[in-house]
Amino acid sequence: MKTILKLFTMLFCVVSFAQTTINGKIIDNTGLPLPGANIVVVGTSTGTVSDFDGNYTLTVSQEPPFSIRVSYTGFEAQTIEITSNNQTIDVTLAEGNELDEVVISASRTPERIFESPVTVERFGLKEIKNTASADFYGGLENLKGVDVNTSSLTFKSVNTRGFATTANTRFMQLVDGMDNSTPALNFPIGNLVGMVETDVHSVELLPGASSALYGANAFNGILFMRSKNPFDHQGISVAIKKGITSQKAAGDNEYTDVSLSMAYKFSDKFAAKVNFGYLDGTDWAATSEVDSDMFGGTRASNLNYNGINVYGDEVSANINDLSGGTGIVPDVFVSRTGYNERDLTEHKAQSIKADWGLYYRPITDSNFEIQYVGKVGTGTTIYQGTNRYNIDGFFQEQHKLELKNDNYFIRGYVVADKAGDSYDMVFTGININRAWKSDADWFGDYINTYVAATLGGGATDTQAHAAARAAAENGRFEPGSTEFNNAFNRIIKDPDLATGSQFQDASKYYHADGNYNFSHLTDIADIQVGGSFRQYKLNSFGSIYTDYDGEIDYSEFGVYTQIQKELELNEDMNLKITASARYDKSEFFDGFVSPRLSVGLTLNKNHNIRASAQTGFRNPTTQDLFIGLDAGRAILVGSAPDNLDRYSRDFTSSNGTVYTQTGAAAYNNSYTASSVQQLAASGDPTVLTVANPNLVSPEKVSSIEVGYRGKFDKLTIDFSTYYNKYKDFISSEVVIAPLYGDVTAPEGSAERSLSVLAIASSDFTTYSAYTNSDVDVNSYGASIGLSTKIMGDFDLGGSYTFTKQDFDQAANPNFETNFNTPEHKFKAHFGNTELFKNFGFNVAYKFTDDYFWEATFGDGIVPEFHTVDAQISYTIPTLKSTIKLGGTNIGGKEYFTVFGSGYIGSMYYASLTINNL
């Protein structure tokens, strides 16, 4: 027994002797603590992080001497030798430049931006704190090569490298690894139900095709947002922002934005956090009365006037056709009088969101972690798609379970939404008119009055039309009247677009993905494998999709691998080669392989030249496949094979005959819209051209990119250029389907003649079909960013981006690519985080060239604009708090980025951020 006791005592002493403890504090060069700094024993995965005050304690089972590496995002790392037990090691980290920052997105593994095989932009804690924009999401538009299209105050769509719409299905947005796109719409709705600002740890943006690692939707790029882990960031942080938005149309209105984050580490094994965000303001009011029917037209000058932000005037008809060809009635189209958007919405902008997380590390001295994260959000905003939609009380929730360590992760999550009290403002205007007076009665009154004024009163044509509209409008529901309000409240609760305008949805999708990195098992190369699976469950109750009889289910999956090898050619030259490939399969389409090869050459540690070639693809969206929506201007019908006949409606011809037509007519029995317009102008039926678009299939892109990153003393340069070649480009095509006749019958046959007669008699339906184009669509561009320090610690930087589409629009008049991107963009910033003690400032300038916007809602020029944002800040170190005063677009010249949306005015704010230095 004594022998055993001696052995145990000796063993205890050995173990005790092998325990080495060090402690200290991590600060920046201004003396501020750096919470969440990493302290790792070199050559191992053993380490810790600094707490909120920058303090740390590290205990390891290793005898000195050994080395630790101290690192923090945005600062130069330090390696320090430990020579004895119980040392106090205080470390001051010097601020690095943006090329030293570490990113994960480019290769799914941590690496410096400097060594990344492809272009990547990063927006870290420093940038978030110093941005002159009103919030971190708005600050993304100051990144090189990034476009932010603003539909409304709380709905911004991020994009890179062209082909942008507000419904940007080409760009992916991930929050802590979860896709943030809404199941109903199939694209992200900005940060409306996204991240709470006080919980944002970093934002990375990967421009261009990234299908080889991230799948079908990563076609134009990906935005990665990572939150703070409560093991690394504890405490209570609050940000309160108060100010005004100023716009000519909406006036000056209060703006409030509050963020709250609470995180606590209960032990080395368990930590938790809760976040809450609240935003309330008034949206940018859209008041354009530009006529989409005739250039320069007004209600007074154009009988068929259709104002951009006037709804209800989409209903129009040829009054000669309606009169049965009466000679005295002119052969012209006349539209009903619509309601302005301001009469149909309060332009309210609101976002309420919360999330929580439980984090468990069951194994001591291991970074294996189990996470459960839940997110909920609701908001009110304006969404501009085919029509303008008042999104009121939209709700989205996400729930994720993830297992991870340094070498792998496996996660599963669900995303579900509910449309709330959302409604279509175009159909609200249309159906308020119809609630007062049917289209048949309105046009009947118009025609009868016109004839009477012409025959009995001797009125001129202009006078007769004026009298006809006055008579047809007599008794119309005026905005604000009891009749108007009653009709409005009833219609926005009615999902039948024949009588109402409610937008319904309760769709969801389930997603699982995983990744394993074998780098700890072999030194030959850094090898990764992974895969993903997604199951969609569409449920719009027939209001968006053709899910009249229940949910529409479909699925897709993908698997990928990547091999990365770094070669030291000599002491001044390193070569990094990365090769990856991914196979994706949707149940509706053949599988597709997306390869990527990149090479990066580092010279003298300060210069990096990179080149990459890759292919990408994107599957048709849920709307491309299953939509069945009468949008007024056209009926949108998705082209999934079983969707064509599922959409079915009865239409009444000019002679009163009722015809049943399914969505298949758009794809099997239709003419091009441009040829129908030519027929109307010339009367020559031979100009009619058969459309019959093919069913939609995946779109492909081949991309080549070359870039350079370099450091010259204090100056850093980041340059890239690319060329993209698209195949089977997905777009919509407007087609005209006659109610009777066969467009494919031989010329001169009875069936062909009947189809021509149907067109001439306005017995047709206008469809928007989803298809692929066989035309050549290419794009190319380049961007360069420069940053430096001048006059000591003043930050000065800027970027220029050139983007160009290579497409022959004149030769393809029926095809729209929706490029929607300025050719030239210039951005610059100037600031100092420590102009004098605890006082900083930042100024950001942005220039965007004019460009042509094309979308289903409307086409038009977006004029060039210049904006200046600025902020000054004062830090209170003892309270770990910052006071900021700022403004966006402080010049006050209003602009817009999306044709048909409201002009963007100015914002002025004051903010207090507590305990979040």
Side-chain angles (χ1 to χ4, degrees):
M1 183 67 184
K2 293 181 179 180
T3 303
I4 296 174
L5 183 60
K6 289 180 180 179
L7 289 173
F8 179 79
T9 303
M10 293 174 61
L11 179 61
F12 177 78
C13 292
V14 169
V15 171
S16 300
F17 180 77
Q19 293 274 321
T20 302
T21 299
I22 57 174
N23 58 68
K25 187 171 185 176
I26 314 298
I27 60 174
D28 66 10
N29 50 9
T30 68
L32 290 177
L34 294 177
N38 291 295
I39 304 95
V40 179
V41 177
V42 175
T44 74
S45 60
T46 303
T48 188
V49 296
S50 58
D51 64 18
F52 201 84
D53 296 311
N55 298 315
Y56 75 93
T57 298
L58 176 64
T59 300
V60 297
S61 301
Q62 190 169 339
E63 292 185 55
F66 59 86
S67 296
I68 60 170
R69 186 174 188 271
V70 182
S71 62
Y72 189 81
T73 301
F75 290 80
E76 294 181 359
Q78 287 191 33
T79 300
I80 301 161
E81 186 175 11
I82 305 302
T83 58
S84 63
N85 191 16
N86 295 320
Q87 271 188 273
T88 298
I89 305 293
D90 295 330
V91 181
T92 300
L93 294 182
E95 185 179 345
N97 61 59
E98 59 266 33
L99 298 186
D100 293 318
E101 295 179 352
V102 175
V103 294
I104 301 174
S105 56
S107 303
R108 283 191 182 266
T109 189
E111 60 190 348
R112 291 194 305 154
I113 289 180
F114 185 77
E115 299 168 344
S116 168
V118 293
T119 299
V120 62
E121 304 293 330
R122 192 179 189 282
F123 203 63
L125 289 174
K126 175 189 172 184
E127 290 78 15
I128 292 170
K129 293 172 184 175
N130 294 326
T131 182
S133 299
D135 56 41
F136 85 95
Y137 202 83
L140 298 177
E141 59 188 327
N142 294 313
L143 294 177
K144 171 169 55 70
V146 174
D147 297 295
V148 176
N149 296 312
T150 301
S151 289
S152 60
L153 183 68
T154 52
F155 192 161
K156 297 180 179 181
S157 177
V158 179
N159 191 61
T160 61
R161 300 188 177 179
F163 306 106
T165 65
T166 54
N168 193 2
T169 55
R170 296 169 172 268
F171 193 89
M172 180 182 283
Q173 183 169 293
L174 299 179
V175 177
D176 288 331
M178 290 186 289
D179 192 344
N180 197 224
S181 63
T182 67
L185 302 174
N186 217 206
F187 57 85
I189 52 174
N191 199 42
L192 181 68
V193 291
M195 292 194 73
V196 174
E197 183 158 333
T198 49
D199 191 44
V200 178
H201 183 264
S202 68
V203 180
E204 297 174 21
L205 191 144
L206 199 62
S210 305
S211 302
L213 285 181
Y214 295 100
N217 293 335
F219 200 68
N220 267 34
I222 316 179
L223 180 66
F224 301 83
M225 294 188 283
R226 287 196 302 138
S227 67
K228 297 172 182 176
N229 189 305
F231 277 111
D232 303 332
H233 301 268
Q234 294 98 41
I236 299 175
S237 301
V238 181
I240 303 170
K241 193 174 299 175
K242 190 74 176 178
I244 64 167
T245 57
S246 180
Q247 185 203 28
K248 292 177 183 177
D252 294 343
N253 296 280
E254 291 187 1
Y255 172 85
T256 303
D257 189 359
V258 178
S259 299
L260 170 66
S261 295
M262 297 181 290
Y264 187 72
K265 180 181 175 183
F266 293 89
S267 68
D268 288 339
K269 291 189 175 184
F270 181 67
K273 69 176 183 178
V274 177
N275 301 289
F276 174 78
Y278 172 79
L279 182 150
D280 185 72
T282 299
D283 220 327
W284 306 122
T287 59
S288 174
E289 296 184 5
V290 170
D291 188 2
S292 63
D293 178 74
M294 181 178 77
F295 181 76
T298 64
R299 170 48 72 197
S301 64
N302 181 15
L303 298 172
N304 199 38
Y305 171 78
N306 182 6
I308 291 295
N309 296 128
V310 182
Y311 312 130
D313 54 5
E314 294 80 8
V315 176
S316 72
N318 186 304
I319 57 176
N320 180 266
D321 290 344
L322 292 180
S323 71
T326 304
I328 196 171
V329 178
D331 185 15
V332 295
F333 278 85
V334 173
S335 64
R336 294 193 66 167
T337 304
Y339 293 96
N340 290 321
E341 179 173 305
R342 60 178 171 268
D343 299 324
L344 303 173
T345 178
E346 296 177 345
H347 285 120
K348 184 178 182 180
Q350 189 176 77
S351 172
I352 304 172
K353 51 198 171 190
D355 64 79
W356 55 92
L358 305 176
Y359 297 74
Y360 180 54
R361 295 177 177 175
I363 304 173
T364 304
D365 294 331
S366 170
N367 54 19
F368 173 68
E369 185 172 283
I370 302 172
Q371 300 179 2
Y372 161 69
V373 174
K375 293 178 178 286
V376 296
T378 182
T380 297
T381 188
I382 301 292
Y383 159 58
Q384 180 173 311
T386 302
N387 292 332
R388 294 267 292 176
Y389 301 88
N390 190 89
I391 305 299
D392 185 7
F394 181 89
F395 177 83
Q396 181 168 307
E397 62 180 319
Q398 296 176 292
H399 299 277
K400 179 187 76 167
L401 184 64
E402 180 170 3
L403 286 72
K404 60 183 295 186
N405 70 5
D406 283 345
N407 304 313
Y408 70 86
F409 71 80
I410 181 169
R411 68 172 71 100
Y413 60 88
V414 59
V415 183
D417 64 30
K418 293 181 181 178
D421 296 321
S422 304
Y423 59 92
D424 182 329
M425 289 189 287
V426 171
F427 273 96
T428 303
I430 289 172
N431 286 323
I432 289 176
N433 270 338
R434 289 172 175 168
W436 158 62
K437 184 184 287 187
S438 69
D439 293 341
D441 288 345
W442 192 92
F443 285 109
D445 290 346
Y446 192 104
I447 293 169
N448 292 336
T449 305
Y450 180 93
V451 171
T454 303
L455 293 178
T460 64
D461 179 68
T462 300
Q463 292 170 336
H465 277 297
R469 183 168 295 276
E473 294 293 290
N474 186 36
R476 182 172 182 259
F477 294 166
E478 292 300 323
S481 67
T482 300
E483 295 85 357
F484 177 91
N485 291 338
N486 289 339
F488 173 84
N489 292 328
R490 183 179 67 255
I491 286 165
I492 65 172
K493 298 294 185 182
D494 180 359
D496 184 352
L497 293 183
T499 54
S501 62
Q502 187 181 29
F503 164 52
Q504 290 186 310
D505 189 74
S507 296
K508 64 179 68 173
Y509 57 81
Y510 299 91
H511 186 96
D513 61 341
N515 182 89
Y516 196 94
N517 190 324
F518 292 88
S519 59
H520 64 296
L521 300 177
T522 176
D523 294 330
I524 297 175
D526 186 346
I527 302 173
Q528 298 184 64
V529 296
S532 64
F533 173 82
R534 178 171 295 187
Q535 175 78 38
Y536 290 92
K537 289 185 175 294
L538 306 180
N539 184 18
S540 72
F541 308 97
S543 66
I544 305 172
Y545 302 110
T546 57
D547 49 1
Y548 313 113
D549 301 323
E551 292 181 347
I552 296 174
D553 294 354
Y554 76 101
S555 62
E556 55 193 29
F557 72 90
V559 293
Y560 64 86
T561 185
Q562 175 178 277
I563 301 175
Q564 189 174 78
K565 179 67 175 178
E566 189 166 356
L567 303 172
E568 183 177 343
L569 303 181
N570 57 49
E571 62 181 23
D572 295 323
M573 187 181 299
N574 290 329
L575 180 69
K576 180 185 285 188
I577 303 172
T578 307
S580 56
R582 180 179 176 114
Y583 173 83
D584 283 273
K585 175 74 172 68
S586 166
E587 69 176 77
F588 295 110
F589 308 105
D590 293 335
F592 187 80
V593 177
S594 306
R596 182 178 79 175
L597 177 65
S598 63
V599 178
L601 180 66
T602 301
L603 304 170
N604 297 321
K605 298 183 179 179
N606 289 321
H607 306 279
N608 179 271
I609 301 169
R610 65 187 186 276
S612 64
Q614 59 187 308
T615 64
F617 83 107
R618 71 180 186 103
N619 282 323
T621 67
T622 53
Q623 295 189 43
D624 297 338
L625 296 170
F626 297 109
I627 197 167
L629 176 64
D630 186 344
R633 297 170 179 83
I635 296 174
L636 284 59
V637 177
S639 67
D642 59 349
N643 194 64
L644 304 185
D645 291 328
R646 198 159 52 218
Y647 184 86
S648 179
R649 274 186 56 185
D650 291 338
F651 299 93
T652 303
S653 69
S654 56
N655 65 7
T657 304
V658 176
Y659 293 89
T660 299
Q661 191 176 72
T662 69
Y667 296 89
N668 302 328
N669 194 48
S670 62
Y671 291 112
T672 64
S674 60
S675 69
V676 171
Q677 292 172 354
Q678 292 174 23
L679 172 64
S682 66
D684 179 9
T686 63
V687 301
L688 286 175
T689 303
V690 175
N692 289 358
N694 293 324
L695 300 184
V696 72
S697 61
E699 177 182 341
K700 296 95 175 175
V701 63
S702 299
S703 179
I704 298 174
E705 178 181 323
V706 177
Y708 166 78
R709 300 183 184 98
K711 294 185 288 187
F712 299 86
D713 194 18
K714 294 182 179 181
L715 176 68
T716 63
I717 301 174
D718 192 350
F719 168 80
S720 65
T721 183
Y722 69 91
Y723 186 88
N724 292 339
K725 185 176 182 62
Y726 296 87
K727 183 181 179 182
D728 297 327
F729 194 94
I730 295 177
S731 188
S732 58
E733 181 178 345
V734 177
V735 298
I736 310 298
L739 296 182
Y740 44 87
D742 184 354
V743 304
T744 62
E747 289 279 357
S749 67
E751 284 296 310
R752 182 63 177 265
S753 298
L754 276 174
S755 71
V756 175
L757 176 63
I759 299 296
S761 304
S762 298
D763 292 338
F764 59 78
T765 308
T766 303
Y767 288 97
S768 182
Y770 295 84
T771 187
N772 304 86
S773 173
D774 57 3
V775 303
D776 292 328
V777 179
N778 306 309
S779 69
Y780 54 92
S783 62
I784 185 170
L786 304 174
S787 64
T788 187
K789 284 189 176 292
I790 61 173
M791 299 182 292
D793 286 329
F794 285 86
D795 295 310
L796 176 65
S799 67
Y800 166 75
T801 301
F802 171 80
T803 313
K804 184 75 172 178
Q805 177 181 222
D806 181 10
F807 172 67
D808 189 352
Q809 184 70 69
N812 302 276
N814 297 310
F815 186 73
E816 289 188 344
T817 63
N818 300 331
F819 189 67
N820 300 340
T821 303
E823 190 168 317
H824 305 283
K825 293 190 295 288
F826 174 73
K827 305 173 184 180
H829 67 270
F830 178 65
N832 191 326
T833 57
E834 195 79 6
L835 182 63
F836 50 85
K837 188 173 181 179
N838 299 329
F839 182 87
F841 79 97
N842 191 31
V843 179
Y845 166 79
K846 180 167 74 273
F847 161 75
T848 295
D849 197 10
D850 60 4
Y851 55 100
F852 187 74
W853 182 273
E854 53 187 18
T856 50
F857 182 73
D859 299 347
I861 294 291
V862 176
E864 71 172 49
F865 58 88
H866 308 252
T867 66
V868 176
D869 304 340
Q871 63 89 2
I872 57 174
S873 61
Y874 181 74
T875 301
I876 309 173
T878 55
L879 300 178
K880 301 172 186 172
S881 301
T882 302
I883 298 171
K884 183 189 287 189
L885 300 176
T888 65
N889 191 24
I890 59 177
K893 186 174 181 180
E894 297 182 357
Y895 66 100
F896 60 89
T897 59
V898 175
F899 183 76
S901 66
Y903 274 84
I904 301 169
S906 302
M907 296 181 67
Y908 303 96
Y909 63 88
S911 70
L912 171 64
T913 303
I914 303 171
N915 220 21
N916 196 40
L917 290 181

